[in-house]
C-alpha cells in the first residue's frame, strides 16, 4: 500500500514507526492514519480504531494540525482545519490498544484549542502551544 500524496498532515515518531495523520488528500481533509515501519519501509493503514466503549468513532478529518507523542504509544492531535472550520478539540489515539478519545478544552477560555497555524510541544506533562495573536482591525 502506498500513501497518497498529501500535505498539511502530521508525522510523529513512535518507537520504530512514523505515524502520519490527516492532511489534505485529493483536495479534501483526511482522517486516515498511516504507519511507516522503519525497519521494513512498509506502509500500513490503521483502520480498526475504536473508542473505549467499543463504538467506532470518527476522527474528525483535519489538516494543518499538530501532533505529539504522549507516553510510549499515544498520539495527541490538536487543532487544525476541517474545510473552512477550525477544529475545536483534541483527539488522542493509543496505538497500542487502537483506542480513540476526544478531549474538549479545559484551559483558559481566552486560549481555546480551536486554532490552526500554531506549533505545539510537550514539556514534561505540559502541552505548550505557540501561536500568534490576531491583529485587531
Amino acid at each position: 500500500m502506498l500513501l497518497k500524496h498529501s500535505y498539511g498532515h502530521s508525522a510523529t515518531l513512535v518507537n520504530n514507526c512514523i505515524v502520519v495523520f490527516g492532511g489534505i488528500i485529493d483536495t479534501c481533509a483526511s482522517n486516515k492514519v498511516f504507519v511507516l515501519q522503519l525497519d521494513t519501509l512498509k506502509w500500513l493503514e490503521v483502520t480498526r480504531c475504536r473508542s473505549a466503549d467499543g463504538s467506532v468513532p470518527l476522527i474528525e478529518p483535519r489538516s494543518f494540525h499538530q501532533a505529539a507523542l504522549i507516553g510510549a504509544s499515544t498520539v495527541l492531535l490538536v487543532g487544525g482545519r476541517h474545510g473552512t472550520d477550525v477544529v475545536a478539540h483534541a483527539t488522542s489515539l493509543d496505538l497500542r490498544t487502537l483506542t480513540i478519545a476526544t478531549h474538549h478544552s479545559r484551559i483558559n477560555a481566552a486560549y481555546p484549542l480551536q486554532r490552526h497555524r500554531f506549533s505545539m510541544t510537550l514539556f514534561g506533562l505540559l502541552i505548550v502551544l505557540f501561536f500568534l495573536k490576531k491583529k485587531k482591525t
Side-chain angles (χ1 to χ4, degrees):
M1 192 229 30
L2 290 174
L3 176 65
K4 283 185 160 191
H5 174 75
S6 69
Y7 63 96
H9 55 266
S10 61
T12 309
L13 181 63
V14 180
N15 299 317
N16 199 33
C17 299
I18 297 175
V19 177
V20 176
F21 176 81
I24 303 289
I25 299 175
D26 295 331
T27 72
C28 296
S30 170
N31 64 350
K32 294 187 179 284
V33 180
F34 295 96
V35 176
L36 174 62
Q37 297 174 318
L38 295 175
D39 54 349
T40 62
L41 296 180
K42 292 193 179 190
W43 286 100
L44 301 171
E45 183 176 357
V46 177
T47 58
R48 304 172 312 198
C49 297
R50 302 223 176 259
S51 63
D53 67 3
S55 64
V56 181
L58 176 66
I59 301 177
E60 185 171 11
R62 62 179 82 193
S63 58
F64 304 105
H65 55 281
Q66 294 291 316
L69 179 65
I70 297 176
S73 64
T74 300
V75 176
L76 180 68
L77 306 165
V78 176
R81 295 194 71 82
H82 177 197
T84 59
D85 296 328
V86 178
V87 179
H89 60 271
T91 301
S92 61
L93 169 59
D94 186 327
L95 295 167
R96 186 176 39 80
T97 61
L98 294 179
T99 54
I100 298 168
T102 299
H103 311 279
H104 295 281
S105 177
R106 289 183 288 169
I107 59 178
N108 184 325
Y111 303 102
L113 289 175
Q114 182 175 342
R115 61 186 66 258
H116 69 292
R117 296 183 182 164
F118 67 101
S119 63
M120 176 179 80
T121 192
L122 294 179
F123 184 74
L125 297 176
L126 291 175
I127 298 171
V128 182
L129 302 176
F130 300 95
F131 52 93
L132 295 173
K133 190 172 183 179
K134 213 175 191 181
K135 288 184 178 180
K136 293 182 181 180
T137 55

